[in-house]
Amino acid sequence: MKRKLLTQMRAEWRANIWMAVELLLVSVVLFVLADKIYTVVATLNEPLGFNTEHCYVIKVREVSEAAPDYVKYESQGDRYRDLLTLKERVLARPEISAATISSNAIPYNPNNSMIQLDIDTFSMADAPLLVRRVDPDFFKVFRIEGADGQTAEELGEILQRERIIPSDNALLRKAGVRSLKPLYGKQMVLSGSDTMTLRASFKPMKYNDYGTVHGWAGASMFERFHPAMMGFMEGISVRVNDNMDKDFVEKLMADADNELRVGNWYVASVESFDFLKEDYNRYSATETRNVVICALFLLVNIFLGILGTYWFRTQQRIKEIALRMVSGATRGDVFRRILGEGQILLLLVTPLAIIIDYLLTINEFTSWYDGYFEPMHFCVSVIAAWALMALMIAVGIYLPARRAMSISPAAAMKTD
């Protein structure tokens, strides 16, 4: 039967060439769609690298110099000491388990700072890292862990000593280095001058729920907060005990004017990270939803196109189908023969489609996720595209073939 099928396909080579070209184009389009969907799904399933549940940011401000109770500081050190005192008072509240001061560091924050950090022999001159300036308690508030199993408390101690802790994938995009652990003990140079020793790295943090640790923001570092950064401070971020969220904001603001006023520093407002998260992710969530909807829309249209093509081809073979059934062929025999033709064409175009897919990938026409070329990403997308094509061909053949086989042989032979 296979030999007869191949003979028939050679006899109809003109029609089959056009069909093969169509299948090739559709296969490449499905690969691009599968690649995009893979990237979206893989990104959404990546660990965040931080935890903002039960977390709040307390916005602190300073009274103006024109205020009657304005305090004139002798030095920046005095001003900073008052800020630390305010932090200690916040931390002393029974609802709060950890508190931190930071600059351009908290999750779901649109403000960024970049800095050059060279590690060992790897120069980052043209690939600066996102820098998050924090005090050692930042890791406890957001439950950030070390890449080598260090706890949040241990990371805080290392930051206090070494000043810098980079993410474990800091060299991924620049040099393809997936982990800094083999480089522990090597030198780091900050901004081309300050030299430190690499003692630890932290598990990469996503920029937001829809970002990826493999993107530009995933390559980041923590630098120890110092008084000169107070002008860019985000506030005092806190973690509230799990069972004490209720009325936390109202209670804190009720005490703000009395207990939480230190020097010129005062509490202006309190925001939940649940709100910050929802607000910051809104655009990305809409964009991701639109991508998925467009992909599904294209899949439906591709399926309808495949269905229409095979419907037309099957309609032209109604007499042939009738003759086979009169000759004793079962419905299964007829369906397998028609399906075999479609699958053979798909098998023939698949190697060429894979070559085109590969060229698209290495030339960065597909979604960036874990580098070009990432074998697992590529293979999953290729297999998914091939499986979708095979399924579409099977369904596209089955529906018109079933209708054609339901026509009686006598009626089919009368069809022009």
Side-chain angles (χ1 to χ4, degrees), residues 72-85:
K72 186 175 181 180
Y73 292 115
E74 296 296 327
S75 66
Q76 280 287 83
D78 293 338
R79 180 183 172 215
Y80 187 53
R81 276 193 294 273
D82 276 353
L83 176 61
L84 293 180
T85 300

Side-chain angles (χ1 to χ4, degrees), residues 11 61 68 72 79 98 114 141 195 197 232 245 275 277 302 312 352 390 409 415:
R61 300 287 185 269
K72 186 175 181 180
R79 180 183 172 215
M114 308 295 288
V141 172
T195 301
T197 301
F232 305 96
D245 279 281
F275 170 77
K277 174 180 178 178
I302 289 170
F312 177 74
L352 183 56
T415 304

Side-chain angles (χ1 to χ4, degrees), residues 181-236:
K181 285 183 277 187
L183 299 177
Y184 287 178
K186 302 293 185 180
Q187 281 194 336
M188 301 184 294
V189 180
L190 183 65
S191 299
S193 57
D194 296 343
T195 301
M196 287 142 281
T197 301
L198 176 62
R199 299 296 184 190
S201 56
F202 62 91
K203 291 181 180 179
M205 293 172 54
K206 295 175 69 171
Y207 194 69
N208 57 40
D209 293 22
Y210 295 86
T212 171
V213 296
H214 305 296
W216 67 272
S220 60
M221 56 171 277
F222 287 115
E223 181 182 8
R224 189 173 67 244
F225 188 90
H226 57 80
M229 300 171 182
M230 285 187 290
F232 305 96
M233 186 178 61
E234 298 154 324
I236 302 175

Side-chain angles (χ1 to χ4, degrees), residues 135-165:
D135 70 13
D137 294 321
F138 188 89
F139 305 102
K140 290 191 291 185
V141 172
F142 297 106
R143 295 183 176 175
I144 297 166
E145 298 176 350
D148 204 27
Q150 299 93 338
T151 65
E153 289 76 10
E154 290 172 334
L155 287 180
E157 293 172 1
I158 294 171
L159 184 70
Q160 187 66 39
R161 295 194 308 267
E162 302 296 339
R163 183 183 163 191
I164 297 293
I165 301 179

Side-chain angles (χ1 to χ4, degrees), residues 238-273:
V238 300
R239 172 169 290 277
V240 173
N241 293 312
D242 293 358
N243 60 343
M244 302 187 75
D245 279 281
K246 186 178 180 182
D247 301 327
F248 165 73
V249 175
E250 291 78 6
K251 292 177 180 177
L252 187 142
M253 292 304 297
D255 297 334
D257 291 338
N258 298 320
E259 297 180 12
L260 302 180
R261 172 69 189 272
V262 181
N264 292 328
W265 295 102
Y266 68 94
V267 173
S269 62
V270 183
E271 290 184 341
S272 166
F273 271 89

